[in-house]
């Protein structure tokens, strides 16, 4: 008997023991498949109404607030999922992981075949998920929320880039990379390079010169690694054969490779057995190394965010008409602005990049000289600002890319000056309008960047001064929130250089918030909690915890939504901000210079290790962010089918309100996800409650991000 059949036999025996009453219905040959579905629906409807009335009310839609969601415990949530499975038995769904091919959800039919010992196309992963469901239905498996002490214990497993042992081994990495850079500069043949050694310099002098250049952002961009072989060389030939092979294939297929010397110094190149904490840099590695799935899909990747695709004169998926490719929009009150500058590049390419579709199409790239603004950019910038000026709803602009801080200081100042002019014009325009006809004045400006992680040297005193000047002038035109949004996904990314960069941003009066990307490595127990604490220590407010979005190309990195919900309930919750502080924290964003002290006042007052104003969420195609979902089906290979509602706490366009639900088929099963954790050295028994998280509710937006802005 092969392992596959042995495991299924084991699971069947477990189901018979855990839930003999329900298994007996599946084994009743007097019932055909349709009659079985009908009988199960009758059975579970009666049980829910009698024993789990709150779950029944949630199922029927009578009670579906966030407060109602948290009344659902493991057994009642299992009944909710079973009813949803029954309602959608036999239904076909388009699977974005299979380029739109339809898959059928038929958990009842498939499970019956398994229990009857009949041939079945389903996988062990499917059977395991169903076995857990039956155990939850009978109460054999229940949900035990870990105590705070356990979460603190998990947090301690994950080091920070500010820890002295980490700083020490990274210093050795830097020394090794500096030697390689000295050699590279010595051997360069391009005449007139800004970075060259003067004739007669000794080795020691050359090394000192490179150490001086190391402090300059332009140096790291100039000497960024762009090939698989160079990447391996700068990582001390530590890449395994499989990874190196994939990176070679990626290079040949046209997937950019771009890594600064600084960022490469953060990677632990020592063998695992020599590392103080094995796999501690795994989340950082997740950015750098591409997966087989990504390489295979590159060239046929479709845009996950459908609203980002727009044709002139035609509304996008969210119903908005846009002035150019520079503006992306899904909500009434905010739009993304992507300038035609070096901001269409990044300090590095994350393997899970949400704009990989644009890199695939060549709209984003790392040809930095070619990305300098064209003569026509001034007119294009004015056109885009007119769009914001003449829209009655927009009061929030998110300048991103790419990366907002990849724009030169001069280019960024030009953009910010244009925003100031537009905001002033919008106020002036309102003077000619009646009270009922007033357009929303600009209130918030945000800059999206990962530079504090990839290249903190770029946050110069010159850049900070431009931001400080803007902050002062912005207040005079009604803009009361200036925010830098970073993308940190691990405490290991927070280095002394990052801390210094963040301090400069805070001193310039800009609040710094963070959007974590919840990859497999970042989803380990206590990992996000530790990251929140370290970010709090340097004055950063967690804002969002994003599940990796995208289809098959991101499968390797995708952490299932059940784990995101588990993290929200079991780990993030220990940093929940008490209601009595809500009025206090509304002022935090306007007093960025004192952010560290403000955060500490809450942590010390409530004796909590971190504050967690962030929301665990997924960016849905077309409708924006939400984590309000139900598991309505499952594929034969164990991938859950989720039905999301849009975020009802914020305004949407009429198109979105009429859209209703969005279906997402996950790219991997829970079993496959747990196996990945095991390969990273995790004890998967610590994740046992994950199987019971089959529904979620998006947390309300924290008052700290509302401030005085409405």
């Amino acid at each position: 008997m092969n392992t596959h059949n042995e495991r299924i036999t084991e699971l069947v025996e477990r189901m018979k023991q855990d839930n003999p009453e329900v298994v007996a219905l599946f084994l009743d040959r007097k019932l055909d498949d349709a009659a079985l579905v009908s009988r199960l629906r009758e059975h579970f409807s009666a049980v829910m109404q009698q024993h789990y009335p709150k779950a029944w009310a949630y199922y029927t839609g009578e009670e579906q607030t966030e407060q109602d969601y948290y009344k659902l415990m493991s057994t009642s949530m299992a009944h909710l999922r079973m009813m949803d499975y029954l309602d959608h038995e036999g239904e076909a769904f388009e699977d974005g992981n299979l380029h739109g091919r339809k898959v059928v959800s038929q958990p009842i039919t498939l499970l019956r075949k398994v229990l009857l010992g009949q041939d079945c196309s389903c996988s062990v992963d499917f059977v395991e998920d169903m076995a857990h469901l039956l155990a939850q239905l009978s109460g054999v498996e229940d949900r035990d929320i870990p105590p705070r002490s356990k979460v603190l214990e998990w947090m301690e497993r994950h080091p920070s880039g500010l820890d002295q042992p980490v700083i020490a081994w990274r210093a050795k990495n830097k020394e090794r990379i500096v030697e390689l850079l000295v050699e590279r500069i010595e051997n360069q043949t391009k005449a007139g390079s800004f970075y060259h050694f003067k004739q007669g310099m000794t080795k020691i002098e050359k090394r000192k010169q490179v150490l001086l250049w190391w402090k300059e952002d332009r140096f790291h961009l100039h000497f960024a690694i762009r090939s698989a072989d160079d990447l391996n060389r700068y990582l001390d030939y530590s890449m395994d054969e499989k990874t190196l092979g994939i990176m070679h294939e990626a290079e040949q297929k046209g997937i950019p490779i771009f890594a600064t010397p600084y960022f490469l110094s953060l990677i632990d190149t020592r063998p695992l057995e020599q590392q103080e904490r094995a796999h501690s840099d795994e989340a950082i590695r997740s950015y750098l190394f591409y997966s087989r799935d990504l390489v295979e899909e590159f060239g046929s990747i479709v845009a996950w965010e459908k609203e980002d695709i727009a044709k002139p004169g035609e509304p996008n998926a969210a119903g908005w008409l846009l002035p150019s490719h520079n503006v992306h929009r899904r909500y009434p009150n905010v739009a993304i602005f992507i300038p035609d500058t070096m901001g269409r590049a990044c300090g590095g390419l994350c393997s899970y990049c949400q704009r990989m579709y644009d890199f695939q199409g060549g709209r984003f790239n790392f040809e930095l000289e070619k990305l300098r603004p064209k003569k026509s950019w001034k007119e294009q910038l004015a056109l885009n600002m007119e769009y914001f000026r003449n829209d009655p709803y927009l009061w929030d602009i998110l300048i991103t890319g790419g990366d907002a801080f990849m724009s030169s200081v001069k280019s960024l100042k030009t953009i910010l000056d244009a925003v100031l002019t537009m905001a002033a014009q919008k106020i002036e325009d309102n003077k000619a309008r009646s009270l009922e006809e007033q357009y929303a004045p600009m209130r918030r400006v945000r800059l999206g960047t990962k530079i504090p992680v990839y290249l903190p040297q770029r946050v110069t005193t010159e850049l900070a001064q431009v931001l400080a000047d803007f902050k002062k002038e912005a207040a005079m035109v009604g803009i009361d929130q200036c925010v830098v949004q970073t993308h940190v996904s691990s405490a290991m990314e927070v280095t002394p250089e990052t801390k210094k960069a963040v301090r400069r941003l805070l001193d310039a009066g800009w609040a710094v918030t963070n959007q974590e990307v919840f990859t497999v490595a970042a989803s380990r127990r206590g990992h996000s909690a530790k990251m929140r604490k370290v970010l709090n220590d340097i004055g950063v407010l967690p804002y969002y915890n994003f599940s990796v979005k995208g289809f098959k190309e991101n499968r390797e990195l995708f952490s299932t939504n059940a784990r995101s919900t588990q993290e929200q309930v079991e780990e993030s919750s220990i940093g929940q901000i008490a209601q009595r502080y809500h009025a206090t924290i509304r002022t935090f964003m306007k007093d960025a210079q004192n952010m560290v002290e403000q955060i500490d006042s809450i942590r010390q007052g409530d004796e909590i290790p971190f504050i967690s104003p962030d929301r665990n969420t997924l960016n849905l195609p077309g409708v924006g962010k939400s984590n309000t979902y139900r598991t309505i089906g499952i594929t034969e290979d164990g991938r859950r089918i989720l039905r999301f509602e849009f975020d009802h706490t914020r305004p949407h366009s009429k198109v979105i309100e009429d859209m209703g639900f969005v279906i997402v088929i996950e790219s991997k099963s829970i079993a496959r996800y747990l196996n990945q954790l095991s390969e990273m050295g995790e004890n998967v028994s610590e994740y046992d409650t994950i199987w019971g998280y089959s529904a979620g509710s998006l947390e309300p937006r924290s008052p700290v991000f509302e401030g005085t802005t409405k």
Side-chain angles (χ1 to χ4, degrees):
M1 186 182 293
N2 61 40
T3 305
H4 174 275
N5 290 336
E6 288 175 350
R7 179 60 177 154
I8 287 183
T9 299
E10 178 186 316
L11 290 168
V12 167
E13 289 305 310
R14 185 200 299 177
M15 284 186 274
K16 289 178 178 178
Q17 293 176 17
D18 290 346
N19 204 325
E21 182 181 8
V22 171
V23 169
L25 293 175
F26 277 89
L27 297 177
D28 188 348
R29 294 181 181 271
K30 295 192 294 294
L31 300 172
D32 62 19
D33 289 347
L36 174 61
V37 170
S38 180
R39 180 70 185 87
L40 288 170
R41 183 179 286 111
E42 177 186 312
H43 169 77
F44 287 112
S45 296
V47 171
M48 287 180 75
Q49 291 177 69
Q50 182 177 355
H51 298 289
Y52 307 105
K54 292 295 182 184
W56 180 256
Y58 199 87
Y59 166 71
T60 61
E62 297 171 47
E63 299 178 5
Q64 283 196 344
T65 66
E66 188 206 12
Q67 291 74 22
D68 295 323
Y69 166 74
Y70 282 106
K71 295 174 184 175
L72 303 177
M73 296 309 290
S74 182
T75 307
S76 58
M77 194 175 287
H79 281 79
L80 173 67
R81 174 155 51 120
M82 178 57 85
M83 289 299 296
D84 283 334
Y85 278 4
L86 292 166
D87 288 345
H88 296 278
E89 175 74 10
E91 191 171 337
F93 301 91
E94 284 190 7
D95 191 345
N97 300 283
L98 304 175
H99 299 283
R101 196 182 85 201
K102 289 197 171 184
V103 296
V104 178
S105 176
Q106 45 185 354
I108 306 305
T109 302
L110 293 177
L111 181 58
R112 187 178 210 190
K113 286 183 177 181
V114 170
L115 291 170
L116 289 171
Q118 299 173 352
D119 288 339
C120 180
S121 58
C122 58
S123 69
V124 173
D125 292 2
F126 165 84
V127 179
E128 184 164 10
D129 202 322
M130 295 301 291
H132 282 285
L133 175 57
L134 263 61
Q136 292 152 19
L137 288 166
S138 65
V140 171
E141 284 186 15
D142 205 354
R143 186 193 308 160
D144 292 322
I145 304 297
R148 174 174 152 174
S149 59
K150 176 57 71 173
V151 178
L152 293 173
E153 178 187 319
W154 289 331
M155 289 170 61
E156 283 303 307
R157 297 175 183 173
H158 303 286
S160 155
L162 297 176
D163 294 344
Q164 284 305 316
V166 176
I167 291 173
W169 65 253
R170 283 178 170 169
K172 292 181 180 179
N173 262 357
K174 178 180 174 181
E175 290 175 10
R176 178 179 52 77
I177 292 173
V178 164
E179 291 300 321
L180 291 173
L181 290 168
V182 168
E183 180 183 337
R184 182 173 170 182
I185 295 169
E186 287 176 335
N187 296 330
Q188 64 186 358
T189 56
K190 186 177 179 181
S193 172
F194 181 83
Y195 297 104
H196 65 274
F197 296 132
K198 294 178 181 178
Q199 194 169 1
M201 290 180 74
T202 66
K203 278 286 185 182
I204 293 175
E205 289 172 333
K206 290 176 181 178
R207 182 178 175 279
K208 287 182 178 179
Q209 180 63 72
V210 171
L211 287 173
L212 284 174
W213 284 333
W214 186 277
K215 300 174 183 178
E216 299 179 11
D217 58 296
R218 287 190 308 166
F219 176 78
H220 289 275
L221 292 175
H222 184 82
F223 290 105
I225 303 308
R226 293 172 177 262
S227 73
D229 286 335
D230 279 346
L231 186 62
N232 192 30
R233 183 166 177 248
Y234 276 74
L235 291 176
D236 204 20
Y237 299 99
S238 63
M239 292 169 63
D240 61 79
E241 187 176 338
K242 177 183 175 183
T243 302
L244 182 59
I246 292 173
M247 295 303 289
H248 273 135
E249 291 178 38
E251 187 179 354
Q252 293 163 9
K253 202 163 184 180
I255 304 177
I257 295 173
F258 191 89
T260 62
Y262 165 80
F263 184 70
L264 293 179
S265 73
L266 308 185
I267 304 294
D268 198 340
T269 60
R270 297 172 297 172
L272 288 176
E273 61 272 14
Q274 294 180 18
Q275 297 178 18
E276 294 81 7
R277 295 288 181 92
H279 300 287
S280 62
D281 66 344
E282 200 71 44
I284 304 178
R285 288 172 169 269
S286 294
Y287 308 155
L288 190 60
F289 299 127
Y290 304 146
S291 68
R292 173 72 59 194
D293 288 329
L294 173 59
V295 174
E296 290 177 355
E297 291 293 297
F298 195 80
S300 58
I301 293 172
V302 298
W304 172 263
E305 295 172 319
K306 298 176 184 177
E307 69 278 14
D308 287 354
I309 303 174
K311 297 180 181 178
E314 296 182 17
N316 68 0
W320 303 106
L321 286 170
L322 303 176
S324 69
H325 66 277
N326 302 103
V327 177
H328 296 208
R329 186 177 182 184
R330 63 180 68 103
Y331 300 115
N333 55 17
V334 58
I336 290 172
F337 180 58
I338 302 176
D340 287 335
T341 65
M342 278 175 60
R344 294 187 87 81
C346 305
L349 178 58
C350 301
S351 60
Y352 53 72
C353 180
Q354 67 176 13
R355 304 205 189 282
M356 192 64 77
Y357 172 75
D358 292 293
F359 276 104
Q360 174 184 268
R363 290 174 292 278
F364 286 19
N365 58 70
F366 292 94
E367 302 303 320
L368 303 183
E369 289 301 317
K370 294 180 181 179
L371 289 175
R372 295 188 184 279
K374 307 292 189 297
K375 289 183 179 180
S376 60
W377 168 236
K378 185 176 180 181
E379 291 77 18
Q380 188 71 11
L381 176 59
L383 170 69
N384 286 290
M385 289 302 104
E386 281 296 298
Y387 179 77
F388 282 85
R389 174 184 177 180
N390 296 314
D391 189 279
Y393 309 110
L394 287 171
W395 52 261
D396 184 356
I397 182 170
L398 171 55
I399 303 166
T400 180
D403 192 303
F405 282 0
M406 280 297 287
S407 293
S408 68
V409 175
K410 180 181 177 181
S411 292
L412 185 59
K413 183 180 186 305
T414 299
I415 295 166
L416 292 174
D417 285 346
V419 171
L420 284 173
T421 300
M422 175 269 294
Q425 290 171 333
K426 208 166 187 183
I427 291 173
E428 191 65 27
D429 293 344
N430 272 339
K431 293 179 181 178
R433 300 186 180 110
S434 67
L435 191 60
E436 295 77 18
E437 295 173 327
Q438 296 279 300
Y439 283 13
M442 298 304 295
R443 303 297 299 275
R444 181 185 293 137
V445 175
R446 292 181 284 163
L447 300 173
T449 180
K450 195 162 179 162
I451 283 299
V453 171
Y454 274 135
L455 191 56
Q457 294 89 337
R458 199 163 178 83
V459 184
T460 60
T461 53
E462 182 188 9
L463 172 61
Q465 188 60 55
V466 166
L467 296 178
D469 292 343
F470 175 86
K471 179 69 165 59
K472 292 174 185 175
E473 295 182 56
M476 293 185 275
V477 292
I479 297 172
D480 57 13
Q481 282 195 20
C482 294
V483 185
V484 173
Q485 288 188 178
T486 62
H487 276 286
V488 178
S489 293
S490 169
M492 287 288 280
E493 297 170 67
V494 182
T495 65
E497 293 88 346
T498 302
K499 181 179 179 180
K500 180 180 179 181
V502 169
R503 185 66 258 171
R504 279 182 172 168
L505 297 172
L506 295 174
D507 286 343
W510 286 64
V512 183
T513 65
N514 186 65
Q515 299 184 130
E516 176 187 2
V517 180
F518 201 57
T519 59
V520 173
S523 73
R524 289 172 291 175
R525 281 293 201 184
H527 189 278
S528 294
K530 179 60 175 287
M531 181 203 67
R532 292 184 186 100
K533 179 188 180 301
V534 174
L535 288 177
N536 282 179
D537 290 344
I538 65 171
V540 178
L541 291 166
Y543 183 49
Y544 277 124
N545 189 332
F546 278 121
S547 292
V548 172
K549 54 182 178 283
F551 299 120
K552 183 184 173 184
E553 67 269 13
N554 279 338
R555 177 172 60 175
E556 187 73 18
L557 300 177
F558 175 72
S559 174
T560 65
N561 223 59
R563 173 60 187 134
S564 174
T565 310
Q566 183 187 45
E567 201 282 333
Q568 171 187 324
V569 174
E570 299 185 6
E571 295 160 67
S572 173
S573 59
I574 73 166
Q576 187 173 12
I577 301 170
Q579 183 81 30
R580 65 180 177 276
Y581 292 115
H582 283 190
T584 303
I585 64 177
R586 286 184 184 275
T587 64
F588 281 15
M589 301 283 277
K590 296 179 71 173
D591 187 18
Q593 291 92 335
N594 295 308
M595 189 64 76
V596 172
E597 294 77 14
Q598 292 177 136
I599 291 172
D600 281 348
S601 70
I602 304 294
R603 293 198 291 183
Q604 294 167 10
D606 258 12
E607 296 184 337
I608 54 178
F610 57 85
I611 62 171
S612 54
D614 53 324
R615 302 196 285 177
N616 287 34
T617 189
L618 180 70
N619 226 347
L620 297 169
V623 306
K625 304 165 190 67
S626 180
N627 206 34
T628 300
Y629 74 97
R630 302 236 294 260
T631 304
I632 63 169
I634 186 169
T635 65
E636 62 183 25
D637 58 350
R639 294 179 295 123
R640 291 185 174 186
I641 302 171
L642 312 181
R643 186 186 71 186
F644 284 87
E645 296 181 37
F646 61 82
D647 179 4
H648 294 286
T649 67
R650 66 185 303 172
H652 289 265
S653 68
K654 186 70 165 58
V655 171
I656 300 305
E657 291 176 352
D658 292 342
M659 187 180 295
F661 303 112
V662 173
I663 303 296
V664 172
I665 301 180
E666 296 193 310
S667 58
K668 67 163 64 103
S669 65
I670 289 179
R672 179 168 176 169
Y673 163 72
L674 292 176
N675 185 58
Q676 288 182 283
L677 291 180
S678 178
E679 291 173 353
M680 291 181 190
E682 292 291 288
N683 178 0
V684 295
S685 67
E686 293 180 337
Y687 298 79
D688 280 348
T689 60
I690 190 174
W691 301 94
Y693 287 100
S694 55
S697 182
L698 183 65
E699 299 159 282
R701 184 178 168 88
S702 171
V704 72
F705 301 120
E706 295 298 340
T708 57
T709 300
K710 299 295 181 184

